[in-house]
Amino acid sequence: LFLQMKFDKEGNTTYFEKKKTELYQELGLQARDLRFQHVMSIATRNNRIIMRMEFLKAVITPEFLLILDYRNLSLEHWLLNELASQLAGEGQLVTYSLPFEFRAIEAILQYWISKLQGRLNTLQPQILETLEVLVDPKLLSVDRSKLHILLQNGKSLSELETDVKVFKETILEILDEEEVIEELCLSKWTDPQVFEESTSGIDHAEEMELLLENYYRQAEDLLNEARELRVLIDDSESIIFINLDSHRNVMMRLNLQLTMGTFSVSLFGLIGVAFGMNLESSLEEDPRIFWLVTGIMFLGSGLMWRRLLSFLGRHLDPPLPPHVPAALKKSQPAAGRVDIKTSLKGETFGLSRSTLTNQ
């Protein structure tokens, strides 16, 4: 049995269950036409439009819209609260003056693109907040819980990019076929008088093409936003690795300095070892020898350590940047206002330069 919801031109809604064979005969379709899978496609069969939007399965005729297997919480909320009013002309559909199939197609496309936009609006602040914490140069270690959250959000972002690409490709396949666009105008075949040029001089086939192009552009903009967020994640991952390498280099340098200090003290400590042996000489009788030997040990150790540190600085410190003429500095335009994503990118790249200088 198919659990169905039927909407007519006035937005009236009826619910009923019907066997598949009865539904095939009533709609004039074949079994394979209603063999819905979790794919996305828009096709025409026997003056019927069959739309598959993953879990959203619809059949559009010139007189009514049929939703099949709508048992989904978010889908039921849209069907009960928004779709009926949109089809009746109470919503914000731009195709209300056109035949019924235009309104039905626009309502379904609008629902799907708003659902994809909502997923992006949910992921974007979470990802930006997580990246802002992870790229902080003051942190000596990375919070694993934040990395786990970033991994989950990155996976959700990849799924969103895939869904948007499939949506784009589905619309693009129709835009590349003029015959399919004309077949979507069901009123052309049922009521030829309705299929006339509109007041703007554009026929209904061109209206359908403009409608599909509009949602194709919206999907393209949505995909570009998702790609920018993906690039920001990749750049931030590089900054995280640079920060960790910088802290690790600081610890290694500190360890090297302490090793050189220990070597210097041990080297000049041999003098004290020599005087500490059980050997008699005339020097141990002079009270000034103790302070003289101790001063030579500390002074020699300090000079040796200072010499080693200067050698380390010459070989590890980066060279000074090249001199930039003042004329070139004045010619650079002042930075304007940027959004949160651009500011985060600038902050992370600035952190990368500071960490490289520390290295």
Side-chain angles (χ1 to χ4, degrees):
L1 293 177
F2 268 143
L3 183 61
Q4 306 174 36
M5 184 179 292
K6 184 177 180 181
F7 300 86
D8 59 12
K9 297 181 178 180
E10 288 74 23
N12 300 322
T13 307
T14 55
Y15 308 86
F16 56 91
E17 291 185 358
K18 187 171 294 186
K19 295 181 179 180
K20 293 182 180 180
T21 54
E22 297 178 358
L23 186 62
Y24 301 152
Q25 296 175 359
E26 179 181 344
L27 297 176
L29 302 175
Q30 298 181 3
R32 65 174 180 271
D33 297 330
L34 297 182
R35 191 178 296 117
F36 293 106
Q37 299 176 353
H38 290 288
V39 295
M40 191 172 297
S41 65
I42 303 176
T44 57
R45 296 287 189 276
N46 194 18
N47 204 26
R48 302 285 189 268
I49 300 175
I50 304 172
M51 298 189 66
R52 301 178 179 92
M53 297 289 173
E54 293 186 0
F55 55 83
L56 176 57
K57 309 167 185 178
V59 178
I60 302 174
T61 70
E63 293 79 19
F64 59 86
L65 167 63
L66 196 63
I67 304 295
L68 307 178
D69 291 341
Y70 57 88
R71 286 168 289 191
N72 184 280
L73 295 179
S74 60
L75 185 59
E76 288 183 0
H77 175 77
W78 170 66
L79 292 174
L80 298 176
N81 299 331
E82 299 181 16
L83 181 58
S85 60
Q86 288 179 342
L87 296 177
E90 300 176 2
Q92 298 179 352
L93 299 181
V94 298
T95 56
Y96 179 69
S97 60
L98 297 173
F100 177 76
E101 62 268 17
F102 286 82
R103 282 177 278 162
I105 293 176
E106 183 183 3
I108 294 176
L109 294 179
Q110 185 183 87
Y111 166 75
W112 198 254
I113 200 70
S114 63
K115 187 175 182 63
L116 295 175
Q117 183 67 50
R119 290 168 58 184
L120 181 61
N121 293 338
T122 303
L123 286 174
Q124 186 174 9
Q126 297 177 1
I127 293 176
L128 294 179
E129 181 181 0
T130 304
L131 293 178
E132 186 177 0
V133 175
L134 291 176
V135 300
D136 189 357
K138 299 179 181 179
L139 298 178
L140 299 179
S141 61
V142 178
D143 190 354
R144 293 186 177 180
S145 61
K146 295 295 183 180
L147 286 178
H148 183 67
I149 294 175
L150 182 62
L151 180 62
Q152 292 180 341
N153 291 335
K155 182 179 179 181
S156 301
L157 184 62
S158 299
E159 294 176 355
L160 175 61
E161 289 178 340
T162 302
D163 293 341
V164 177
K165 289 179 182 178
V166 173
F167 181 77
K168 278 184 51 184
E169 293 174 357
T170 302
I171 298 181
L172 185 60
E173 290 178 358
I174 301 177
L175 292 175
D176 292 338
E177 299 292 338
E178 296 183 0
E179 296 180 356
V180 178
I181 295 177
E182 292 184 357
E183 291 177 357
L184 293 177
C185 303
L186 303 180
S187 301
K188 176 180 180 180
W189 317 105
T190 57
D191 190 359
Q193 294 181 356
V194 178
F195 190 77
E196 297 176 353
E197 291 189 355
S198 61
T199 56
S200 59
I202 303 177
D203 61 22
H204 289 173
E206 294 183 359
E207 293 278 4
M208 180 65 71
E209 184 177 359
L210 292 176
L211 175 64
L212 295 176
E213 286 181 351
N214 178 33
Y215 285 95
Y216 178 83
R217 287 193 298 268
Q218 293 186 34
E220 182 69 24
D221 296 339
L222 186 61
L223 185 59
N224 290 334
E225 294 182 11
R227 287 173 177 171
E228 290 179 1
L229 202 57
R230 171 65 61 187
V231 171
L232 185 59
I233 292 177
D234 296 338
D235 294 341
S236 300
E237 288 179 353
S238 301
I239 301 304
I240 293 171
F241 293 145
I242 291 175
N243 289 336
L244 293 178
D245 291 340
S246 176
H247 293 305
R248 182 169 57 250
N249 292 340
V250 170
M251 298 304 296
M252 292 175 62
R253 184 166 184 169
L254 178 61
N255 185 24
L256 183 58
Q257 291 175 352
L258 294 177
T259 302
M260 291 186 299
T262 303
F263 170 75
S264 302
V265 174
S266 301
L267 179 63
F268 284 90
L270 294 176
I271 301 176
V273 173
F275 278 91
M277 299 175 64
N278 295 326
L279 298 176
E280 296 181 357
S281 64
S282 59
L283 296 178
E284 66 269 7
E285 297 178 358
D286 191 346
R288 295 174 298 179
I289 294 299
F290 172 77
W291 301 108
L292 179 62
V293 172
T294 303
I296 293 175
M297 289 172 55
F298 279 99
L299 181 60
S301 300
L303 293 177
M304 177 63 71
W305 191 29
R306 184 66 179 176
R307 186 68 176 178
L308 292 175
L309 289 179
S310 62
F311 174 81
L312 179 65
R314 288 196 305 270
H315 288 78
L316 294 184
D317 289 341
L320 295 176
H323 176 70
V324 179
L328 293 180
K329 292 182 179 180
K330 295 180 179 179
S331 62
Q332 295 179 355
R337 297 180 58 186
V338 294
D339 55 4
I340 182 173
K341 293 185 290 185
T342 308
S343 63
L344 182 57
K345 288 183 181 179
E347 181 182 356
T348 53
F349 283 120
L351 294 176
S352 64
R353 291 194 293 267
S354 62
T355 51
L356 288 176
T357 305
N358 292 332
Q359 295 178 27

